[in-house]
């Protein structure tokens, strides 16, 4: 019904009026094309061009973190053998100049004890060892010793040798 009315209306127009309606329709079509397709694509392209350097910098940072994670993944505590844990603990005690005893309790546990050690040196060593070897502390204790600033301390480390 609407198509029939439009056809009657169109045929009732003069040739010049038909040309004007076609030009007006083309202008409206081009305006809609610009508003709905070209302008959004253009602004998106400009926004992406502004964001690209930031995204590339993030990619570089993520790749560096991935490389670091892969490097550290080979040093995972679960992958270490008991002998390497024992050697790492003994070496770290020597490097820290701690007067401490290192003992193997069983095939998965190493215990380090000290009767009178500087509290600062003990906790600095413990933090460094945990960071470097990625060992798991299972039991730790510290008690004030007779001398100021000194403690009696004990810590046990566990490694899953599977």
């Amino acid at each position: 019904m609407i198509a029939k009315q439009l056809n009657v209306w169109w045929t009732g127009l003069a040739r010049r009026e038909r040309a004007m309606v076609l030009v007006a329709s083309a202008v409206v079509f081009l305006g809609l094309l610009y508003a709905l397709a070209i302008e959004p694509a253009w602004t998106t392209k400009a926004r992406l061009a502004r964001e690209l350097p930031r995204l590339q910098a993030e990619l570089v940072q993520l790749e560096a973190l991935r490389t670091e994670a892969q490097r550290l993944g080979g040093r995972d505590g679960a992958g270490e053998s008991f002998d390497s844990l024992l050697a790492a603990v003994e070496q770290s005690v020597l490097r820290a100049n701690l007067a401490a005893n290192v003992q193997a309790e069983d095939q998965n546990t190493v215990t380090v004890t000290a009767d009178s050690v500087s509290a600062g040196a003990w906790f600095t060593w413990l933090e460094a060892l945990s960071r470097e070897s990625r060992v798991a502390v299972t039991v730790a204790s510290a008690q004030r010793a007779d001398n100021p600033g000194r403690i009696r301390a004990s810590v046990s480390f566990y490694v899953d040798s599977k």
Side-chain angles (χ1 to χ4, degrees), residues 34 52 62-63 65-66 68 71 73 79 81 93 110 113 119 121 123 138-139 145 156 161:
Y34 177 78
L52 184 62
L62 286 173
E63 287 176 350
L65 290 172
R66 181 182 54 88
E68 171 102 6
R71 183 179 63 79
S81 69
V93 166
V110 173
T113 56
F123 290 114
T138 55
V139 178
S156 294
S161 58

Side-chain angles (χ1 to χ4, degrees), residues 93 97-102 111-119 121-122 125 141-145 150-155:
V93 166
N97 287 329
L98 292 177
N101 297 322
V102 179
T111 300
V112 180
T113 56
D115 288 331
S116 179
V117 66
S118 164
W122 177 264
W125 164 77
S141 68
Q143 299 171 342
R144 185 173 46 190
R150 313 235 3 123
I151 58 172
R152 282 188 291 276
S154 173
V155 64

Side-chain angles (χ1 to χ4, degrees), residues 31-104:
L32 286 173
L33 178 67
Y34 177 78
L36 298 177
I38 296 172
E39 195 272 336
W42 200 315
T43 57
T44 299
K45 181 181 180 255
R47 180 181 51 84
L48 291 176
R50 286 189 312 269
E51 290 180 4
L52 184 62
R54 180 185 57 82
L55 294 173
Q56 287 174 333
E58 286 180 11
L59 176 63
V60 168
Q61 185 179 16
L62 286 173
E63 287 176 350
L65 290 172
R66 181 182 54 88
T67 303
E68 171 102 6
Q70 287 175 341
R71 183 179 63 79
L72 292 175
R75 293 174 28 196
D76 187 9
E80 291 186 24
S81 69
F82 178 77
D83 293 333
S84 67
L85 171 66
L86 184 59
V89 171
E90 289 172 342
Q91 287 291 326
S92 69
V93 166
L94 289 174
R95 278 195 311 268
N97 287 329
L98 292 177
N101 297 322
V102 179
Q103 297 176 344

